[in-house]
Amino acid sequence: MQNYIIFIISVLYFFSCSKAQETISEKESLKDKKVLIFYLSRTKNTKTIAEIIQKNVGGDLVELELQNPYPENYKAIVDQVSKENESAFLPPLKTKIENIEKYDIVFIGFPTWGMKLPPPMKSFLKQNDLKGKTIIPFNTNAGYGVGSSFDTVKELSPESKVLEGFKMKGGVERDGILFVMEGKKKTEAEKKVREWLTKIGLNKTK
Ligand SMILES: Cc1cc2nc3c(=O)[nH]c(=O)nc-3n(C[C@H](O)[C@H](O)[C@H](O)COP(=O)(O)O)c2cc1C
């Protein structure tokens, strides 16, 4: 019986050590990686998530800008995005990432638009070669979820490793609720982002 207890303790000790090593090596590997955080944000909710990710992980933070910006008016942008989706139009981007090949991990952030991936993010994924890189999507939405957006990221990046994404309720522009990521809501976002980063093995500040 005594031998049996010693055996069980040894096995438990062995597994606890190997788990600790796994976490350390994950942290070490993040140190060697070049990280890009690329995001689209109209009313700055997704932008706030991008900034929180950068605080935790480091890396370069770049905002997607369009050659022809979308209309300010909500109904006008909804109509335009719907037409772009119907015709599979890829809006030309003003932002160009220099030497994209140098990045190992690319976070891409966007709001849900029409329950889909916003057309400018499709432009980005189609125009940049992210083969062999790790892609991590993140999203804010009005409470209806990510729709097909995360699946589209995977479809457009068949040769990349796409990790579990982050999603959170942001603004509800339809109801005139624009930027919400401040005060308690921002604190909640910081906590959720940290938990998610830890889950996918990428939290440097933990
Ligand atoms: C053109 C447009 C379409 C939208 N469609 C959806 C939608 O289908 N589902 C949803 O939950 N939210 C939708 N929203 C709301 C945004 O996803 C939400 O407000 C998000 O937090 C905005 O992020 P941002 O502040 O980074 O721009 C839409 C907003 C816009 C402007």
Side-chain angles (χ1 to χ4, degrees), residues 40-47 74 77-78 81 110-116 140-145 168-173 177-178:
L40 166 70
S41 187
R42 174 175 160 90
T43 45
K44 298 191 165 51
N45 295 293
T46 314
K47 180 183 185 193
Y74 177 70
I77 185 178
V78 169
V81 166
F110 45 84
T112 305
W113 280 0
M115 296 317 284
K116 291 184 164 61
T140 71
N141 59 76
Y144 300 96
M168 186 169 172
K169 185 174 177 188
V172 189
E173 189 170 340
I177 302 165
L178 304 182

